[in-house]
Amino acid sequence: MEKYVVFRMRDEYFGVPIHQVQAIEKVTDFTKVPQAPEYVKGITELRGEVTTVIDLRSLLNIGQTDTESEARILIVHVEGLRIGLMVDEAKEVVDLDEETIEQPPQMVGGVKEEYIQGVSKQQDRLLILVNLQKVLNVEQLEQVKEAVEA
């Protein structure tokens, strides 16, 4: 049994292992980063630390996050970096049994298979489990670091 943080992008529900999520924050103002990739919203101070914020929908090529509604920032740790992932809404924490997780189809909710570690059928929805190491690959992390440090 493993705990996952559930969040929504468009009409799809996604999950990431809770051990990768440090906090869930409301969207705040950002300082734009010159010459950063389009998916980098900017930097902001969250819980006393300057954090780079990435629009996860933009990164996955499924539109832009609507920051006016229930949008949240998931503060995650990937490859030693602290990154804020902006999503449409952060829902809940669920316990998933390994037996409920299946291999993903070629594409789910417009998201490529390589970014997905599995799918789990819940009572009324399909939960897409995101592989943050693949989504935020080393090359992209380096681009973000360079843009922020420039």
Side-chain angles (χ1 to χ4, degrees):
M1 201 64 90
E2 190 171 354
K3 290 186 181 305
Y4 284 81
V5 174
V6 176
F7 60 93
R8 182 180 59 78
M9 292 191 298
R10 295 194 319 208
D11 297 327
E12 307 286 341
Y13 290 91
F14 297 84
V16 291
I18 197 166
H19 69 267
Q20 291 183 308
V21 180
Q22 181 183 349
I24 299 171
E25 301 287 338
K26 287 187 172 180
V27 174
T28 58
D29 291 331
F30 307 108
T31 301
K32 292 279 184 204
V33 179
Q35 300 174 350
E38 190 180 317
Y39 54 82
V40 175
K41 279 299 202 198
I43 55 175
T44 189
E45 189 175 325
L46 294 169
R47 298 202 174 204
E49 283 188 59
V50 175
T51 304
T52 302
V53 178
I54 290 174
D55 184 338
L56 191 54
R57 279 181 58 177
S58 178
L59 178 65
L60 297 174
N61 292 318
I62 55 173
Q64 298 281 319
T65 300
D66 175 12
T67 57
E68 300 303 310
S69 62
E70 298 290 315
R72 293 288 182 266
I73 298 172
L74 303 180
I75 300 174
V76 299
H77 286 275
V78 181
E79 303 294 328
L81 284 180
R82 175 188 157 119
I83 294 178
L85 297 178
M86 195 162 61
V87 299
D88 292 341
E89 183 181 19
K91 297 292 289 177
E92 63 203 310
V93 174
V94 297
D95 286 314
L96 288 185
D97 198 329
E98 283 293 317
E99 295 159 18
T100 69
I101 299 172
E102 300 173 17
Q103 288 300 307
Q106 293 286 309
M107 189 173 263
V108 184
V111 178
K112 292 182 203 160
E113 175 189 18
E114 67 188 272
Y115 298 147
I116 301 168
Q117 68 185 41
V119 293
S120 178
K121 290 183 183 122
Q122 304 295 289
Q123 299 91 334
D124 56 348
R125 67 180 180 215
L126 191 64
L127 186 59
I128 303 163
L129 306 177
V130 178
N131 183 334
L132 290 179
Q133 280 82 3
K134 289 273 190 343
V135 170
L136 299 165
N137 67 42
V138 175
E139 187 179 303
Q140 287 167 323
L141 292 173
E142 288 303 318
Q143 284 178 347
V144 169
K145 243 164 76 175
E146 285 171 21
V148 171
E149 291 170 358

